[in-house]
Amino acid sequence: MGSMAVMGVAFISCSNESLFDDNAYHKQKDEAYTSNFEKRYGKIDPNQTWDFTTDTPTYSMVSTGGATRAAASLETANFTCEVREMDIQPAISEYIADNLPKGQDNSSKGRKFEMVIGENDFTVVPLFQGCASYYWELWMTVEGVGEYKIWSKGEGLKYRKAGTNDEFQTVGTGKDGMDSNAGPFEVKAPSYTFNNLPTGNSMAFSLRVWTSYDKFLAYEQNPLNEANHPIISSSVDAWMIDLQNAPVPVGLPEGYSATIIGCEDNKHGDNDFEDLVFMVYGKPVPPTKRVEKVIEQKSKRYIMEDLGETDDFDFNDVVFDIFYDRKEITYIYDNADATVPSDTQTRTLENLGVVRAAGGTLDFAIMIAGEKVWIKSKNVSKTEMINTQRGYNPYYVMGEFKATGYIANENNVSVAVEDRGSNEGVHSIPFPEAGVAPKIVAVPVTTNWMNERVKVPTDWFTPKPANN
């Protein structure tokens, strides 16, 4: 209603187009927006800035055919994941203890690696959780599809000393876990069977790591607090090692094979790779290959509010990611069997922008350094609301653009929006200065945007201690 009142004043006082004052009109709209923002989220600290991202690089696979494109999105891939419980025999526990001895540096036994998806289904099974103090989630990244969360620390994993009738113990989220020196163990483990993923595409695994379970809960409540951001470790940047020709669980038909993968939860840890150990099996298991190229890049997600309304605060009217400081790293190996590269070559890549969603029905243009780099109406219907309804796909691609001229620490982005109440017809919304009610916010790319007409939680913009 406040927005309607402002519009009414503007049109009554400026019915003569030649006398229309765009500056006054937009000032009134901004004042209404600020008032509504502070009613919901509280008074804005004059020093509050609106970039909540870190400057930490991540590593990803090199796409063989447009991994960011929508053609093989989660929607169109149409894969299934069936969850069961399976019994794991003590022989596998013994194999883990022998091959990944606790407290020893086991990094030479593995390599940076990817898997290649075959025609048959495959199954991922958490087998062993060491006495690790950190908390993590196990994720899978499939080229052209996106990321999929498989398992959380402690979830459904139970064990007991082999040969006893003891009750099965659950593995929790804290420091306590399975001590391989106290084994071997019988294990009841959750299993995750994947079917119908795109054949021939590359696949990598990763952990999202928090220093404690409490930090994870804090992140869930407020993903904008930098102190709670996870560290992302993956099989393509040497946080995991693959053990080939591992024993398969008892009871599987003939023809199945398995790879056992050991993980570290701390880049400054002991490198025994037994903080988490999981198995991938199939008929046959998807083959692993050493990583010969990887992309190192940094990223930001920009989420935007106010394409017409001044009080819905769902911040999904424009959602786009920018990947910057991008490098393609090629690993040089001395021979076909080598697991450790002898040298590397680095090639600089262009900055890349990916448009994810549009919750408004107005036309807009994404601008970098004052130049238009992507226009909604030239790619999709300007009146269509795209990928903001419940169950939206966080890896959907409305479009891509070259983010030439992008300067990350300046956040030199803006959005030019069709404005039906303006004499000029367009309203340019820049990245906000400190202390101003934000219409654009920079967040980590692991942060999901709101469903349509669902307000951003108040925790996102609740005043924080001085260091945040």
Side-chain angles (χ1 to χ4, degrees):
M1 291 181 68
S3 173
M4 292 172 64
V6 169
M7 293 285 286
V9 170
F11 279 109
I12 290 170
S13 61
C14 303
S15 59
N16 184 333
E17 188 172 308
S18 63
L19 298 178
F20 193 101
D21 185 345
D22 261 339
N23 290 333
Y25 165 75
H26 288 134
K27 182 180 179 182
Q28 288 175 324
K29 287 193 72 174
D30 287 344
E31 288 173 350
Y33 183 89
T34 299
S35 175
N36 288 331
F37 186 91
E38 292 189 344
K39 284 177 184 176
R40 176 163 178 81
Y41 299 109
K43 193 74 174 174
I44 302 170
D45 188 306
N47 297 313
Q48 176 65 56
T49 57
W50 305 107
D51 186 338
F52 299 96
T53 63
T54 62
D55 203 30
T56 305
T58 57
Y59 298 85
S60 62
M61 300 174 291
V62 175
S63 169
T64 58
T68 61
R69 300 188 182 280
S73 69
L74 285 170
E75 294 172 344
T76 57
N78 196 31
F79 71 91
T80 60
C81 177
E82 186 172 356
V83 183
R84 301 188 184 95
E85 182 183 76
M86 67 185 304
D87 294 322
I88 305 297
Q89 69 270 26
I92 292 180
S93 173
E94 290 178 317
Y95 177 89
I96 293 170
D98 291 342
N99 286 273
L100 299 173
K102 180 179 175 63
Q104 293 188 24
D105 185 349
N106 299 315
S107 55
S108 62
K109 299 178 181 179
R111 57 187 178 171
K112 300 177 177 70
F113 72 91
E114 303 171 7
M115 281 187 159
V116 181
I117 298 170
E119 295 182 355
N120 298 327
D121 61 16
F122 64 90
T123 301
V124 178
V125 190
L127 301 172
F128 181 91
Q129 181 177 302
C131 303
S133 58
Y134 287 8
Y135 176 77
W136 23 255
E137 299 173 336
L138 175 63
W139 289 68
M140 175 177 71
T141 303
V142 179
E143 177 195 6
V145 176
E147 294 181 307
Y148 184 87
K149 178 185 169 185
I150 301 174
W151 183 70
S152 299
K153 184 178 183 181
E155 184 179 23
L157 186 62
K158 296 175 284 187
Y159 71 103
R160 70 180 177 189
K161 175 78 173 178
T164 70
N165 292 319
D166 296 342
E167 293 291 324
F168 277 89
Q169 302 178 54
T170 59
V171 183
T173 60
K175 294 182 180 180
D176 296 335
M178 302 161 67
D179 182 353
S180 58
N181 294 324
F185 301 112
E186 298 174 33
V187 177
K188 290 186 179 294
S191 67
Y192 305 86
T193 300
F194 294 90
N195 208 334
N196 204 36
L197 282 165
T199 302
N201 286 34
S202 292
M203 171 177 67
F205 295 98
S206 63
L207 295 181
R208 292 187 183 178
V209 182
W210 291 266
T211 53
S212 69
Y213 186 62
D214 287 341
K215 285 287 187 184
F216 164 74
L217 294 177
Y219 172 82
E220 288 278 278
Q221 184 178 41
N222 184 359
L224 300 192
N225 188 334
E226 184 175 331
N228 300 328
H229 290 181
I231 300 168
I232 298 177
S233 59
S234 73
S235 61
V236 298
D237 68 341
W239 275 46
M240 300 182 181
I241 58 176
D242 57 322
L243 304 176
Q244 306 290 306
N245 303 315
V248 298
V250 169
L252 292 179
E254 187 176 349
Y256 279 82
S257 56
T259 295
I260 283 181
I261 298 169
C263 310
E264 268 296 309
D265 70 352
N266 184 350
K267 283 189 175 179
H268 305 291
D270 51 17
N271 291 326
D272 57 10
F273 289 88
E274 56 94 63
D275 296 326
L276 165 65
V277 184
F278 66 95
M279 170 184 286
V280 183
Y281 72 80
K283 189 179 180 180
V285 63
T288 63
K289 62 178 183 179
R290 68 184 183 190
V291 173
E292 299 192 349
K293 287 186 179 181
V294 67
I295 291 178
E296 178 189 286
Q297 61 190 1
K298 300 173 183 177
S299 58
K300 291 189 184 189
R301 170 163 292 164
Y302 291 95
I303 57 176
M304 179 181 164
E305 179 54 43
D306 192 38
L307 292 189
E309 299 298 329
T310 60
D311 60 359
D312 68 350
F313 299 124
D314 51 16
F315 278 84
N316 67 14
D317 294 323
V318 182
V319 179
F320 62 96
D321 299 339
I322 293 184
F323 301 92
Y324 62 99
D325 288 355
R326 304 179 72 229
K327 305 178 184 68
E328 182 185 80
I329 302 173
T330 300
Y331 298 106
I332 310 299
Y333 295 91
D334 290 334
N335 56 65
D337 297 323
T339 59
V340 179
S342 58
D343 199 2
T344 60
Q345 293 178 350
T346 300
R347 181 168 69 94
T348 301
L349 302 176
E350 289 184 314
N351 295 337
L352 172 67
V354 181
V355 188
R356 299 293 186 193
T361 59
L362 300 174
D363 200 9
F364 65 83
I366 297 171
M367 306 181 74
I368 296 178
E371 299 292 329
K372 293 180 180 179
V373 293
W374 195 84
I375 301 173
K376 182 182 180 183
S377 59
K378 289 188 176 182
N379 294 273
V380 296
S381 170
K382 74 174 186 178
T383 59
E384 188 176 356
M385 301 168 72
I386 299 174
N387 203 36
T388 58
Q389 304 299 335
R390 185 178 297 276
Y392 67 77
N393 175 5
Y395 303 99
Y396 181 78
V397 178
M398 286 177 59
E400 297 179 357
F401 56 87
K402 293 180 180 179
T404 306
Y406 175 71
I407 303 174
N409 62 358
E410 295 182 7
N411 288 301
N412 60 336
V413 302
S414 60
V415 179
V417 183
E418 178 186 2
D419 192 340
R420 294 173 184 144
S422 167
N423 189 44
E424 296 179 354
V426 175
H427 184 201
S428 180
I429 300 176
F431 193 83
E433 297 177 356
V436 175
K439 295 179 182 177
I440 303 177
V441 177
V443 298
V445 293
T446 53
T447 305
N448 288 341
W449 54 96
M450 298 295 110
N451 293 319
E452 199 58 48
R453 296 291 174 178
V454 176
K455 289 179 170 62
V456 163
T458 55
D459 288 328
W460 279 29
F461 299 130
T462 299
K464 304 298 187 304
N467 65 342
N468 238 313

